[in-house]
Amino acid sequence: MRVAGLLAGTLFVSHLVSIPIVVGERQKPFSGAHPLTGGKDELEQWIRQQDAYSRAHILSNIAPFANDPSAMPGAVCASPSRSHPDYYYAWTRDSALVMNELLSWMEHNSSMSGLQRTLEDYVSFTRHLQGLKGLRYGLAEAKFHMDGRPFTKSWCNGQTDGPAIRGYTLTRYARYLMRQGRDIEHLYGLIRTDLDYVSSVWMQNWHCDIWEETRGLHFYTLMAQRRALTEGARLARMLEDYEAATGYEREIELMERRLGDFWDERGGHVMTTIEWSGGLGSKHSQLDAQVLLASLHSAMDDGVYTVESREMLATALRLLRAFEPLYSVNQVLSAEINQAVVPVGVALGRYPEDVYNGVGTSRGNPWSLVTSALAEFHYRLALEYAKRGEVRASEELRDLIQWTRRRYHEKVEFKGLLRYLLGVGDLYMARVYLHTARDHTMYEQWDRLNGYGRGAVHLTWSYAAHTAASRARSRLVELIAREA
Ligand code: NOJ
Ligand code: NOJ
């Protein structure tokens, strides 16, 4: 195995600099610390406990509910909070992301196949929502009441990432069922409905972004749409629905060309929105953590804005630089877990100009799900390098590593790039630990001044972002143990 050779031969016997360099210049040697020098076991234990708690809480946010018999089975509430803020709705985006997470558990562990019941509820709920008539934005309505009624008050609607994420989630579920020799007839029609819609609207510029504030063409939304059509076209071919497949493939080509327009060469990062057409006009930096989420949720195995792409490495660093000075809590450099002291990384928010405080508007805060995503980003970066058996040296990778080291300068030896990235991911996990309640309750945000939970309590997506990061970490830890 190439990875084995790489790990044994080079990575773990030497300093980071000796990672095999395939293209580009050789990096200058440096010695430094594995950033996490103590408390690794304690942190790991917390991650596990938080994972179990998060899974339970995700499931308890999915109807049926004993305390609300009117909620339709399969409806996921964004949070059980019904006031300040009222998040007791089924958002299409949050729900599909959560169902995707459930699918990861099921694919990873056959003893979780009982969750199929929940997926089937979600399929029925989707059939209900797709059948609703008279909605201004139809499939792109952002959210619905938990009993399946449309939400009719004013909202930044037309969120077309929703049907796209749902489309690829249902496609993934269809593949899961097919592997078990099961029928997917009840699914394919729903998938086509979402994908046909995406195919017909993606190029227009009225879409509202995932933060529900800005209209235009959005990187996150387009990445989700591209994944949906790509996986949908593959499924259509398998089912010999060539007409649909060809139609989707035509759009994919155009989408990929459009995606290139999001790279800002001068600014050196991926822009969040182009062709702005309304809503929030104050995001001058064009820097937004939803770009990172786009790569984690929707990049495929083809190098297009994947975690290890130069574009994503550069954007991650730009985000770190922008957010570090923004929040007072980022002056805290360590946390105590069961008497062990661990270094903590930077807390990230949505975008620097953000003013949403979780209930109303004043000043934006760091977000739990975004900071978990940053941890996941580093774990997946390491997994990607391990899978390829090589590291492409780039200025962007070097800059990201050097920036991180500048913040944490203990003098311990590096144990290779994979371990280093594990340690860096752990910095951000430790940050999430620091601001998560000791009983494991998660919120949407953390107060930028004192670090306490703010905004919606028990936000389903915050838990799902933790379980996703924790899964990537476990895979990485296993791999390192196997190859060491
Ligand atoms: C609620 C939205 O969900 C949030 O993303 C947005 O920032 C605020 N409304 C703006 O008021
Ligand atoms: C506000 C976030 O901006 C949006 O992305 C999310 O869908 C809703 N909250 C519900 O969690």
Side-chain angles (χ1 to χ4, degrees):
M1 196 182 149
R2 280 176 84 196
V3 173
L6 166 72
L7 297 183
T10 331
L11 264 179
F12 289 142
V13 289
S14 52
H15 295 281
L16 175 65
V17 286
S18 305
I19 52 179
I21 288 169
V22 183
V23 291
E25 31 141 6
R26 266 200 169 272
Q27 298 184 18
K28 271 222 233 84
F30 63 84
S31 64
H34 180 294
L36 193 71
T37 49
K40 191 160 187 271
D41 294 344
E42 286 81 1
L43 179 65
E44 213 159 73
Q45 194 189 8
W46 174 79
I47 293 171
R48 256 201 315 278
Q49 290 164 348
Q50 185 64 40
D51 186 66
Y53 181 92
S54 299
R55 285 176 181 234
H57 238 286
I58 289 171
L59 296 177
S60 71
N61 282 355
I62 306 175
F65 300 141
N67 66 358
D68 178 8
S70 73
M72 281 181 78
V76 185
C77 65
S79 145
S81 171
R82 290 176 189 245
S83 71
H84 302 98
D86 183 3
Y87 269 38
Y88 190 64
Y89 295 98
W91 261 269
T92 305
R93 168 182 37 267
D94 300 46
S95 308
L97 290 172
V98 162
M99 289 297 155
N100 230 307
E101 191 52 29
L102 261 53
L103 276 164
S104 296
W105 308 350
M106 289 158 71
E107 286 172 357
H108 187 246
N109 183 346
S110 57
S111 72
M112 308 229 61
S113 62
L115 288 176
Q116 217 168 296
R117 171 80 251 152
T118 308
L119 264 298
E120 287 299 327
D121 284 348
Y122 174 67
V123 169
S124 305
F125 187 57
T126 300
R127 186 173 305 111
H128 164 81
L129 296 181
Q130 287 189 351
L132 290 172
K133 298 275 180 296
L135 301 174
R136 166 127 195 250
Y137 281 101
L139 300 172
E141 294 281 326
K143 61 174 185 178
F144 299 87
H145 289 281
M146 289 295 287
D147 61 7
R149 278 179 304 119
F151 177 80
T152 50
K153 295 197 195 121
S154 97
W155 201 253
C156 194
N157 254 315
Q159 299 184 14
T160 55
D161 63 295
I165 305 171
R166 186 168 63 195
Y168 70 65
T169 301
L170 292 177
T171 302
R172 183 175 177 188
Y173 181 46
R175 289 198 308 263
Y176 174 88
L177 291 180
M178 284 164 84
R179 280 197 298 275
Q180 304 181 344
R182 304 276 298 274
D183 199 61
I184 61 152
E185 201 122 322
H186 66 306
L187 283 184
Y188 192 57
L190 304 180
I191 295 173
R192 288 262 343 235
T193 300
D194 278 339
L195 300 193
D196 287 355
Y197 174 76
V198 166
S199 278
S200 67
V201 300
W202 72 266
M203 70 298 286
Q204 298 164 17
N205 68 355
W206 46 257
H207 310 259
C208 185
D209 79 316
I210 69 167
W211 304 141
E212 322 192 279
E213 301 171 324
T214 306
R215 291 192 184 278
L217 270 179
H218 313 289
F219 183 77
Y220 181 96
T221 304
L222 191 50
M223 284 288 282
Q225 293 168 336
R226 168 179 179 261
R227 175 173 170 192
L229 293 198
T230 306
E231 295 187 358
R234 256 181 237 149
L235 180 68
R237 283 210 176 274
M238 260 156 76
L239 301 175
E240 301 181 358
D241 183 355
Y242 298 117
E243 206 188 313
T246 322
Y248 298 156
E249 285 156 5
R250 218 177 16 243
E251 299 304 322
I252 295 165
E253 231 188 279
L254 299 171
M255 287 173 157
E256 288 175 355
R257 238 176 280 158
R258 207 69 172 100
L259 276 170
D261 298 337
F262 284 86
W263 174 246
D264 175 0
E265 184 64 48
R266 215 164 36 119
H269 66 95
V270 177
M271 295 183 286
T272 184
T273 298
I274 58 176
E275 289 203 26
W276 180 89
S277 71
L280 208 67
S282 55
K283 282 162 80 168
H284 302 297
S285 70
Q286 281 276 27
L287 254 184
D288 190 321
Q290 67 176 275
V291 168
L292 212 66
L293 298 179
S295 180
L296 294 174
H297 296 169
S298 303
M300 289 173 298
D301 215 6
D302 55 9
V304 179
Y305 295 117
T306 42
V307 286
E308 81 289 358
S309 66
R310 303 175 71 147
E311 292 93 342
M312 278 306 142
L313 292 170
T315 306
L317 177 54
R318 292 295 309 272
L319 288 166
L320 283 163
R321 282 206 180 116
F323 282 112
E324 187 191 39
L326 206 59
Y327 306 133
S328 310
V329 289
N330 279 337
Q331 286 162 22
V332 177
L333 294 177
S334 65
E336 210 185 293
I337 310 184
N338 288 340
Q339 277 123 50
V341 177
V342 295
V344 300
V346 168
L348 289 196
R350 299 195 296 183
Y351 53 92
E353 301 87 348
D354 199 0
V355 293
Y356 178 52
N357 62 22
V359 180
T361 53
S362 55
R363 299 184 75 191
N365 290 311
W367 277 46
S368 188
L369 74 92
V370 175
T371 308
S372 294
L374 186 62
E376 184 186 349
F377 177 82
H378 285 86
Y379 301 143
R380 287 190 37 195
L381 195 55
L383 286 167
E384 192 52 41
Y385 291 145
K387 193 172 87 195
R388 291 163 169 241
E390 63 184 34
V391 176
R392 265 171 212 282
S394 63
E395 266 173 53
E396 290 79 6
L397 178 61
R398 187 200 56 204
D399 292 350
L400 180 63
I401 287 173
Q402 286 186 349
W403 186 89
T404 311
R405 289 190 63 248
R406 209 165 294 140
R407 202 176 140 100
Y408 312 93
H409 26 247
E410 292 97 295
K411 291 199 176 40
V412 185
E413 201 177 288
F414 276 104
K415 296 245 180 63
L417 184 65
L418 301 194
R419 277 171 204 261
Y420 175 77
L421 290 174
L422 171 64
V424 178
D426 283 354
L427 291 171
Y428 303 110
M429 277 297 212
R431 171 61 70 175
V432 176
Y433 158 81
L434 178 60
H435 301 300
T436 296
R438 288 295 74 95
D439 71 356
H440 299 288
T441 299
M442 286 183 146
Y443 290 76
E444 181 184 73
Q445 316 184 5
W446 309 315
D447 190 291
R448 58 155 71 204
L449 299 173
N450 62 31
Y452 285 111
R454 289 284 175 261
V457 68
H458 294 308
L459 188 83
T460 321
W461 192 355
S462 294
Y463 292 121
H466 176 77
T467 59
S470 135
R471 182 175 49 261
R473 185 183 192 280
S474 301
R475 277 166 53 207
L476 180 57
V477 167
E478 259 170 50
L479 190 129
I480 289 176
R482 211 166 346 115
E483 307 296 346

